[in-house]
Amino acid sequence: MQEGDYLALLTGAWTTLAIALPAIAMGAPLGLALALIRWRKIPVLGTIAAILVSLFRATPSVTLVLLVYYAVPQIGIQLAELPAAIITLTLGTMAYTCEIWRGALMAFPRDQYDAAMAMGMTRGLRFRLIVLPQIARASLPALVNEMTLLIKVTPAAAVIGLVEITRAAVRVGAETYQPLPPFLVALVIYAVIIGTLVGLQRYLEHRQTRALAI
Amino acid sequence: MQQPSEPLLRIEGLEKSFGGNKILNGIDLAVAPHETVCMLGPSGSGKSTVLRCINWLETPDAGAIFLRDQRVGCHEDGKKPMSDRELSEIRARMGMVFQSFALWPHLSVLQNVMVAPIHVQGRPKTFVREEALAMLDKVGLSDKRDAFPSSLSGGQKQRVGIARALVMKPEVMLFDEPTSALDPELVGEVLQVMRQLAREGMTMVVVTHEMAFARDVASHVAFLDQGRVAEHSTPDAFFTAPKTERARSFLKRYTRGS
C-alpha cells in the first residue's frame, strides 16, 4: 500500500462520518419526538408513528437507501448521493432510538412526574427539568450501542456510489492486488471511530450532572 | 361544627371511580385557614384519592374543589377544563408531600428545593437559594444540601420533600401518608416537623395512620369509609366517643397496643 491508498481510506472514513454523524444528530431527536407522540398516546399521530417505526425497522438499509435515492427524485426533488444516504440512515436511527426512548419513558417513575405536576410545573418544564435529564442518562448506553450499529451499516451507502471506508478498501485491494492490507487498515479506522464513541459515553456517564438543571 | 372563618379549601360532592369501582361517593369537606384536618380511614376508603383530586392529579368524575373560592380544575361553570398553564398556576399554590417522597434523584437536595421556585414562580435565584437554605435548616438538613437523594434515609428524604413544598409558600399543604413508607424509628422526625408547621399556623390536610398525631394536632378529623365522610368531628370526640360502628372497629385496630 502506498501513501495514496492510505489517503483513499481516510477519505472513505471522512465519508463514513459525513453520513453517520448527521444521521445520529437528526435521528436521535426525531426518535425522541416519535417516542413522545407514542407515549402521550396522541390519536392518529401515535398510530402513524408506530407504523413508521415498524416499517423502517423491517427494511434492510441497502433496500432503503436505494428506495430513497430512486424514489425521492420521482416527486421532483433532486437528491445527491450523500443527502440520500444521510436521510436513509436518519430514518433508520429514528426508528431504533424511538424504541429506546420509549422504553425509558415507560419506565419513568410516576410519582416523580406527579411531584413535578404538584409543584406547578407546566408540561414543558416537567419534561425539560425532570424527565429528559433522567431518560437521557438511562438511555445513553443503548443510544451509543445504536450509534455503533449505525456506523456499521454505512457500507450500505456504497450501493448508490458513495465511497466510504469499506468501499475504499475494496477499491485499494483491487488496484494493488493485495486485498488484505486495506481491510486491516479499514478495521483499525472502524475501531477508532467506535472507540471514540464509547469513550464519549464513559465521559458523559461519569460527568457530574449537577450543573445541568439549574 | 363551627367554622372560625371562611374556608380556605372546600370540597363539594366529590365522586371518583376507577374502572367501574366507585372510590369516592360524594365527599364534602371544608378546611379553614390555619386548620389541620386529618383524614383517617381504612385502606381503600379513598383518602389518598381525595387528596389527589384536590390538586387535580386525579380528575374527579363529579363534584367541585375550591381554593379560596377559585374553582380548581375547571372554570366557574364547571364545564370548560383548565389549560395546562392554568392548572399549573393553581397547583403551585398547594404544596404536596408524597408517601414515596418522590424526590428527583438527578438533583441534589438543594436543587430539589430550588428548582420549582426558580422555574415555576420565576423568583430570582440568589433569593430562592437563601430561602431554600433556610427551609433546609428548618427541617434540620442544612448539612445535606449537596447530597443526592439516594444517599439519604427515608426520614431525611421526607423532610426534604416537606422543604421542597414549603419553599413555594403554599396556601395549603397536602400530606399523603407522609410516614407510611418509613421505618418506625424515623417516623418521629417527620411528625415533629409537621407538628411545628401546624403550630406555626400552616393550613394542612393530612392523610395518615398516625393516630397519636391526629389526636394531638388535628383541628378536626374526617373519618372516611366506603368513599364517604362517615364521621367528622373534633379529635377528642372522635377518639373518645366515635359515633359509628365502623369508626369504633377502625380505632380498635389502629390504637391497639399504643
Side-chain angles (χ1 to χ4, degrees):
Chain A
M1 275 175 68
Q2 292 171 340
E3 205 176 301
D5 299 331
Y6 286 104
L7 200 66
L9 281 166
L10 285 176
T11 312
W14 174 250
T15 305
T16 294
L17 290 176
I19 301 168
L21 293 183
I24 290 169
M26 292 189 291
L30 284 173
L32 176 58
L34 282 194
L36 284 170
I37 288 169
R38 295 194 65 185
W39 184 51
R40 295 232 171 97
K41 297 194 172 70
I42 298 172
V44 188
L45 277 182
T47 313
I48 293 173
I51 292 171
L52 280 181
V53 168
S54 301
L55 204 68
F56 292 131
R57 284 202 300 175
T59 316
S61 301
V62 176
T63 317
L64 196 59
V65 77
L66 287 168
L67 190 74
V68 169
Y69 187 56
Y70 289 116
V72 173
Q74 300 287 321
I75 53 169
I77 301 167
Q78 285 307 309
L79 202 58
E81 289 82 3
L82 188 63
I86 292 172
I87 290 172
T88 305
L89 294 190
T90 299
L91 293 175
T93 311
M94 176 184 80
Y96 286 107
T97 54
C98 169
E99 293 305 282
I100 294 171
W101 290 119
R102 203 163 69 90
L105 283 170
M106 287 193 301
F108 192 81
R110 180 73 220 180
D111 63 343
Q112 283 189 42
Y113 199 75
D114 283 347
M117 283 204 274
M119 298 292 288
M121 292 187 195
T122 54
R123 193 173 284 125
L125 284 178
R126 298 197 290 268
F127 181 70
R128 183 162 64 81
L129 299 173
I130 305 302
V131 178
L132 183 61
Q134 295 192 68
I135 61 166
R137 201 159 211 208
S139 306
L140 188 65
L143 286 173
V144 171
N145 189 47
E146 165 54 26
M147 288 171 200
T148 62
L149 293 175
L150 173 75
I151 300 283
K152 286 183 285 188
V153 297
T154 47
V159 297
I160 54 169
L162 283 171
V163 186
E164 39 61 64
I165 299 171
T166 300
R167 181 77 187 148
V170 172
R171 276 189 176 178
V172 172
E175 283 162 15
T176 57
Y177 300 106
Q178 281 184 311
L180 204 53
F183 279 114
L184 287 176
V185 176
L187 210 68
V188 171
I189 297 175
Y190 280 120
V192 168
I193 293 174
I194 285 167
T196 308
L197 273 178
V198 174
L200 195 66
Q201 174 190 348
R202 294 276 140 74
Y203 168 74
L204 288 174
E205 274 173 357
H206 288 116
R207 201 183 55 155
Q208 279 287 3
T209 50
R210 38 187 55 202
L212 202 68
I214 300 184
Chain B
M1 84 176 288
Q2 197 190 344
Q3 297 291 352
S5 55
E6 276 298 292
L8 192 153
L9 185 71
R10 215 163 76 233
I11 303 170
E12 286 176 1
L14 202 61
E15 291 180 28
K16 177 74 183 172
S17 301
F18 287 111
N21 256 341
K22 197 131 199 183
I23 301 296
L24 302 183
N25 208 347
I27 300 278
D28 297 293
L29 198 67
V31 184
H34 314 302
E35 273 189 337
T36 296
V37 173
C38 284
M39 277 200 275
L40 310 175
S43 41
S45 58
K47 313 178 294 287
S48 290
T49 307
V50 174
L51 215 59
R52 293 172 60 83
C53 283
I54 292 175
N55 63 357
W56 226 250
L57 291 185
E58 303 286 354
T59 313
D61 300 333
I65 312 279
F66 296 89
L67 179 67
R68 290 196 200 278
D69 287 325
Q70 187 188 348
R71 189 142 178 191
V72 180
C74 15
H75 292 278
E76 303 304 332
D77 60 358
K79 287 200 179 70
K80 187 168 170 277
M82 278 185 163
S83 69
D84 182 51
R85 177 160 298 278
E86 290 166 327
L87 264 181
S88 298
E89 273 167 20
I90 202 157
R91 279 177 182 141
R93 295 166 55 195
M94 302 183 257
M96 191 173 212
V97 173
F98 295 82
Q99 179 179 356
S100 59
F101 324 125
L103 298 182
W104 299 306
H106 62 303
L107 301 178
S108 72
V109 164
L110 186 59
Q111 287 172 333
N112 263 278
V113 180
M114 286 173 67
V115 65
I118 291 173
H119 290 276
V120 173
Q121 297 175 323
R123 280 149 61 186
K125 199 166 160 180
T126 47
F127 188 68
V128 168
R129 190 183 153 86
E130 259 171 49
E131 288 195 338
L133 289 172
M135 217 48 92
L136 285 176
D137 189 45
K138 185 187 174 105
V139 299
L141 288 172
S142 293
D143 55 329
K144 294 289 183 188
R145 65 188 195 189
D146 293 321
F148 279 79
S150 57
S151 70
L152 302 182
S153 73
Q156 291 170 333
K157 281 183 193 168
Q158 196 57 297
R159 285 185 281 150
V160 175
I162 294 172
R164 174 176 72 173
L166 285 177
V167 80
M168 299 285 283
K169 304 188 193 303
E171 292 164 46
V172 57
M173 285 283 284
L174 312 172
F175 289 88
D176 188 6
E177 303 202 28
T179 57
S180 297
L182 295 177
D183 290 336
E185 75 268 24
L186 302 178
V187 169
E189 60 190 67
V190 172
L191 291 183
Q192 194 197 331
V193 171
M194 292 169 61
R195 280 171 201 270
Q196 194 193 334
L197 278 181
R199 266 200 306 275
E200 291 169 2
M202 175 60 77
T203 311
M204 316 206 288
V205 183
V206 185
V207 169
T208 187
H209 289 293
E210 294 295 329
M211 295 303 143
F213 176 83
R215 186 197 285 259
D216 297 349
V217 179
S219 320
H220 46 120
V221 297
F223 175 71
L224 265 66
D225 187 47
Q226 295 174 328
R228 291 175 187 281
V229 179
E231 224 165 297
H232 189 193
S233 52
T234 63
D236 254 3
F238 180 74
F239 285 103
T240 53
K243 289 192 281 282
T244 58
E245 179 51 41
R246 302 280 296 192
R248 272 192 290 275
S249 70
F250 170 80
L251 281 174
K252 207 175 286 172
R253 237 172 329 120
Y254 270 97
T255 50
R256 187 190 301 150
S258 67

